Amino acid sequence: MTGRLRLAVPNKGRLVEPTVKLLRDAGLVFEEHDRALVARVQNLDLDILFIRTNDVIEFVGDGVADLGVTGVDLLAETGAELPRIRELGYGRCRLAAAAPNDSPIRVIADLAGLRVATAHPNTTRRFFAEQRLEVDVIPISGAVEVAPRLGLAEAVVDLVSTGSTLVMNGLRPIGDVLASEAVLVANPTAHRQRADELDAIDTMLSSVIAARDRKYLMLNAPATTLPELERLLPALESPTVIPLAHAGMIAIHSVVGADEVWSLLPRLKAAGASGILVLPIEKIVP
Ligand code: AMP
């Protein structure tokens, strides 16, 4: 197969902004004309199709697109068996069961014999079947969190990230059904026949994702402190050590987790480090 690859991405909703940012951070140059259906990538043989989130899986399944960005929850709900290329590290949320604060429902097992409203009926039915619980699953397409107040159901299964929507609606989470995040999926035929091209795009995206939670760290220190500093800095492989003009002094360069920087800095200083620089990393290709 030849021709430009096609990547389907959502044109509305929570996944749009982080997806477009990931594509741009990966170095893809394209113009969005008010999210017209197709954007042509100028520096790669790739077209981006902006379509409804719910259509992404179908487009990729049918081969209209070779790749797509969607949510793990949507994949689970449609039951589509598309090759998953990579989790993308954003759009993180969970499908959780929740009940009104004033209800006696405390744990998942308390839902036996009750009605549960959800926009993810297939996933929810599968979950309760696995738990061997008889639950009446009520499919609704939106505003799931108001279902108990409307008397439609005793509880809900809904997408939650911070939990503030639940709180605002007087609901309390009682257990998780599924963890979700954005995921890159492929058409099965394209996955077999255009593996190299898909791999190249995966590398572009994964190098950005890998860099996002890491920082580049540079510091100076007396050479005698090297063993202790090395112990504090387990880098990708091993830290770079460079002799400085001042006799007995070295510079160390290393890559560290972004969330450990603040706890690491005082320990590096205590071990003799000075002139510490922390820099962002654009891409990491291991
Ligand atoms: P929506 O923006 O409601 O069209 O949701 C599209 C997809 O974004 C969902 O199927 C989830 O994969 C993801 N998503 C939904 N709600 C959240 C949330 N609260 N936080 C993060 N991602 C979410």
Side-chain angles (χ1 to χ4, degrees), residues 12-15 53-54 70-74 90-93 120 159-162 180-182:
K12 265 200 214 114
R14 293 176 204 260
L15 298 182
T53 306
N54 286 330
T70 186
V72 168
D73 60 308
L74 296 172
Y90 58 83
R92 283 210 171 102
C93 55
H120 293 71
L159 287 175
V160 180
S161 51
T162 60
S180 181
E181 67 181 283

